[in-house]
């Protein structure tokens, strides 16, 4: 994971504190030609046994670093995996804290959390939401009052007729649409207008059905991000070059442009990949 704030970058880890530099590295980027590691965030905020800090985002308006921490996967050579809860942590980046962030709060996260998208309301600088991808779908959390010790769940949505886990979620700038990358289940477009508008009982509506989702063979859609000022999404796949991967990493996963102008039946507009080698 990588998060940026002012002159600093924060780099998470796929492994835990049993390895060197298993915490969150703080990198001074003030001279882009000469980035320098100037610190490392360790326990209790990061580098705990059996825990990976692989999802990081910054809420710039509130000078907050948000991290999602969960149990390492078997291939990541961590220890004490079974004992690790899934948590969200908030770290203060105000002033000099940008160089040495301070943990200010820890919250329980949905147990099957995998990634999250931080949506900052463009109309209200005091409001931000986390769209968390979980195996079954998404969970939306309000972190607007996190500094005051409050994180609130706003909505949940589960994929109907699901055959694969949801991997990632992207959100439009206005917050009225969410785009799920659900591996072999494809790309799913959701109407999240009620959440963006601050409804007291927001509902999420699926705009694409199982028969109209753009999808392809395994490993399927890993991430889906809105292309600014367009009706298109950029999707990526995730392929590992290892003996455990049936594809052997060849050909590598590639990118696709999805035309989502027809939200009920998006289509693959183009794709790019590197040809496999012999």
């Amino acid at each position: 994971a990588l998060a940026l704030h002012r002159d600093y970058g924060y780099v998470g880890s796929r492994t835990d504190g049993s390895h060197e530099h298993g915490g969150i590295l703080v990198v001074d980027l003030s001279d882009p030609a000469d980035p320098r590691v100037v610190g490392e965030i360790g326990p209790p905020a990061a580098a705990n046994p059996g825990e990976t800090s692989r999802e990081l985002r910054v809420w710039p308006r509130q000078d907050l670093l948000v991290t999602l921490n969960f149990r390492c996967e078997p291939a990541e050579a961590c220890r004490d995996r079974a004992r690790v809860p899934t948590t969200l942590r908030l770290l203060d980046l105000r002033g000099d804290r940008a160089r040495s962030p301070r943990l200010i709060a820890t919250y329980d996260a949905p147990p099957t959390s995998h990634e999250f998208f931080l949506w900052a309301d463009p109309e209200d600088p005091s409001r931000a939401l986390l769209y968390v991808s979980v195996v079954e779908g998404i969970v939306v959390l309000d972190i607007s009052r996190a500094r005051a010790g409050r994180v609130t769940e706003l909505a949940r949505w589960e994929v109907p007729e699901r055959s694969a886990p949801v991997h990632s979620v992207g959100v439009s700038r206005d917050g009225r649409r969410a785009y799920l990358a659900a591996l072999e289940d494809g790309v799913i477009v959701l109407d999240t207008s009620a959440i963006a508008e601050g409804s007291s009982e927001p509902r999420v509506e699926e705009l694409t059905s199982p028969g109209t989702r753009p999808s392809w063979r395994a490993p399927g859609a890993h991430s889906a991000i809105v292309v600014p000022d367009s009706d298109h999404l950029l999707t990526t796949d995730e392929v590992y070059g290892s003996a455990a991967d049936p594809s052997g990493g060849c050909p590598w996963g590639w990118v696709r442009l999805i035309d989502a102008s027809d939200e009920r039946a998006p289509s693959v507009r183009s794709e790019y990949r590197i040809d496999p080698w012999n």
Side-chain angles (χ1 to χ4, degrees):
L2 173 67
L4 303 175
H5 186 57
R6 297 176 182 165
D7 288 335
Y8 294 94
Y10 306 95
V11 185
S13 176
R14 285 290 292 268
T15 188
D16 68 352
S18 64
H19 297 262
E20 185 178 9
H21 302 308
I24 299 173
L25 298 182
V26 181
V27 184
D28 185 339
L29 303 173
S30 56
D31 180 358
D34 184 26
R36 294 177 295 112
V37 175
V38 295
E40 182 172 350
I41 304 169
N48 297 302
E51 174 186 275
T52 172
S53 57
R54 50 187 271 193
E55 272 293 281
L56 284 72
R57 299 288 186 274
V58 169
W59 183 9
R61 293 167 177 168
Q62 297 294 324
D63 296 301
L64 281 176
L65 174 63
V66 184
T67 73
L68 176 63
N69 313 274
F70 53 86
R71 187 176 65 174
C72 294
E73 296 172 359
E76 293 163 344
C78 299
R79 65 188 185 203
D80 298 331
R81 295 177 56 252
R83 306 176 187 175
V84 176
T86 304
T87 59
L88 286 165
R89 299 196 182 111
L90 280 75
L91 291 87
D92 187 9
L93 302 179
R94 287 178 175 171
D96 293 340
R97 286 293 178 189
R99 188 183 181 95
S100 56
R102 179 175 64 90
L103 178 65
I104 58 175
T106 299
Y107 301 94
D108 291 336
T112 61
S113 300
H114 191 67
E115 294 188 357
F116 72 90
F117 187 100
L118 191 157
W119 177 72
D121 190 334
E123 305 299 328
D124 182 354
S126 67
R127 185 175 183 233
L129 310 178
L130 301 184
Y131 282 75
V132 184
S133 61
V134 296
V135 167
E136 305 82 6
I138 59 167
V139 176
V140 185
L141 305 175
D142 189 337
I143 63 166
S144 304
R145 300 183 62 188
R147 282 190 177 273
R150 183 178 177 184
V151 172
T152 306
E153 181 178 317
L154 297 182
R156 286 178 178 251
W157 184 84
E158 295 186 1
V159 179
E161 302 179 39
R162 182 177 63 84
S163 61
V166 172
H167 191 283
S168 307
V169 56
V171 181
S172 63
R173 184 178 183 276
D174 62 8
R176 302 180 72 85
R177 295 291 185 269
Y179 305 95
L180 276 58
L183 302 183
E184 295 97 313
D185 281 338
V187 177
I188 304 170
V189 183
L190 302 179
D191 184 341
T192 52
S193 301
I195 297 174
E197 293 166 359
S199 170
S200 59
E201 295 183 4
R203 293 178 60 86
V204 176
E205 179 187 354
E206 180 184 18
L207 297 178
T208 54
S209 62
T212 62
R213 301 170 188 158
S215 61
W216 44 92
R217 66 178 180 85
H222 171 281
S223 302
I225 297 295
V226 179
V227 178
D229 302 319
S230 79
D231 293 322
H232 287 75
L233 310 172
L234 179 70
T235 69
T236 62
D237 292 1
E238 181 179 48
V239 178
Y240 289 97
S242 69
D245 186 339
S247 72
C250 182
W252 294 102
W254 58 92
V255 299
R256 293 171 174 84
L257 276 175
I258 307 293
D259 184 348
S261 55
D262 180 356
E263 296 175 319
R264 298 192 179 276
S267 60
V268 176
R269 184 74 172 180
S270 60
E271 63 183 25
Y272 174 80
R273 65 171 172 170
I274 298 173
D275 289 333
W277 56 88
N278 295 323

